[in-house]
Structures are given as structure tokens and as C-alpha cells.
Amino acid sequence: MRSASTPNAETPIYTAMDLLGQRWVLRVVWELEPGPLGFLELRRRMGNCSSSMLADRLATLGEAGIVHKLTDKSYELTPKGVALGISLEPLWEWADDHTGALAADWQRISAGENARRRH
């Protein structure tokens, strides 16, 4: 039985969800999956992720052993990060299979969140 009160150290999936659930973490992994990128190019690909947020996420992923900085100051996935990138491929397929519904659902959800914030 799963329990939200189970300490993360005892349940590896909770630890993974805590790390990977941070905003921009999976996007960084996704962008680095094809190969190393410099900070500026990675920042460009990340859209509206700020430079300070990107630097923070790269540091977090570095501490987790998922990303490391090369001598030319570019970033690449470690073997652990490559394995994580491969594990994202089924998520890509799921999103691709449900893209129309996801877009509509996200618009509806976002509109509801915006309406709740105004009240």
C-alpha cells in the first residue's frame, strides 16, 4: 500500500518524484538528452525559464549526479542522466498520443486556476 507519509528514504519513487517534480528539471534533462549544450543555448531552448532558475536546476541535477559540467563549460547528462532521459521516452509517446486532449485540458485547467486567483 502506498502512503504519502512514508519517508522518502524508504521509498525510492518518492525521492525520484520529489526531485523530478521540481519545475524545469525534466525539461533540462529532455533538452540535454541529445547531447551537451552550453548554458546560453540551453537557456534559449528553455523558453521562459530564467537564467537564475536554470542555474539552480543545473546545480540540483549536478548534486543528484544527473548532469555534469564539462571543461568547455557546457553541460551533459551523466550515465544516470542518460538512463533518466531514456525513461522519458514513454512519457513522450503518451503525450504525443493524447496531444489534442492534453492541450484542451490544460487550457481548461489554466483558465480555472486563473479564475480562482482573481477571487
Side-chain angles (χ1 to χ4, degrees), residues 15-95:
T15 302
M17 286 191 292
D18 286 348
L19 172 64
L20 302 176
Q22 294 180 61
R23 188 167 185 177
W24 300 110
V25 164
L26 289 177
R27 178 71 181 271
V28 169
V29 173
W30 186 257
E31 295 297 344
L32 290 176
E33 199 271 330
L37 292 172
F39 184 89
L40 293 177
E41 177 60 19
L42 181 56
R43 168 70 185 81
R44 186 187 69 73
R45 293 181 185 202
M46 296 290 292
N48 62 347
C49 178
S50 70
S51 293
S52 60
M53 177 63 77
L54 178 57
D56 180 71
R57 293 306 181 245
L58 286 167
T60 297
L61 289 167
E63 290 174 24
I66 293 171
V67 168
H68 81 273
K69 192 174 188 178
L70 300 170
T71 55
D72 68 357
K73 303 202 186 223
S74 62
Y75 294 86
E76 76 173 356
L77 296 176
T78 63
K80 185 174 164 182
V82 170
L84 175 57
I86 291 168
S87 75
L88 292 176
E89 290 175 12
L91 180 59
W92 170 273
E93 292 170 10
W94 176 84

Side-chain angles (χ1 to χ4, degrees), residues 1-15:
M1 178 91 172
R2 296 180 190 178
S3 170
S5 64
T6 303
N8 287 346
E10 295 176 19
T11 311
I13 189 64
Y14 292 150
T15 302

